[in-house]
Amino acid sequence: METAPDTVWLDDWTAALWPESLGGSAGCPDAVTPEELELALFGQLTDPLTEEVRLPSGPASSARARRLVRSALDTWGLGGLGEVAEQLVGELVANVVRHTGGRSFGLRLVRRSGSVRFEVRDPSRALPCLIIGEPEDDAGRGLQLVDLMSDRWGADLLSRGKSVWFELRARETAAG
């Protein structure tokens, strides 16, 4: 049942995000849907001046991050990257939720000429380790997928935590 994660997510994050992202200052509206909040986050994610969008580290976060990435790529005319980007962002978010113990993480997309960089930032300074697992292993293949499916990937230490990122080459589609 998805209502519990959405309710918790809305309670924890609407108050912090609604006023800044949608121009309100007198507090939150009484009824904010998950879709309205995602729309506000999407506006931040596609703004080149936004450093990152903060999301809670929880069960619904991977799906929410994937939807935001897909929306951004579709808006930029780069929908052909969507399936791979969603898969790989989902893997990085799953690693944050599973391994870092942080309450939240940052999601950042940087559009460059010829590529898009996808970053997941978390408070842990422990760098990820690429593990080559066995075919019968149930887990541990996330970074293998990132390594195989992205054009480049890596991890950077930040003043507070780290950024794990990957890049995909992008060919812009002509506007019709």
Side-chain angles (χ1 to χ4, degrees), residues 63-84:
R64 198 167 306 284
R66 289 191 313 266
R67 283 193 304 267
L68 288 168
V69 164
R70 172 66 81 162
S71 293
L73 292 173
D74 287 346
T75 297
W76 290 337
L78 301 172
L81 298 178
E83 192 172 315
V84 171

Side-chain angles (χ1 to χ4, degrees), residues 1-11 34 60 64:
M1 179 181 245
E2 180 137 350
T3 56
D6 275 341
T7 302
V8 170
W9 193 78
L10 287 170
D11 290 345
R64 198 167 306 284

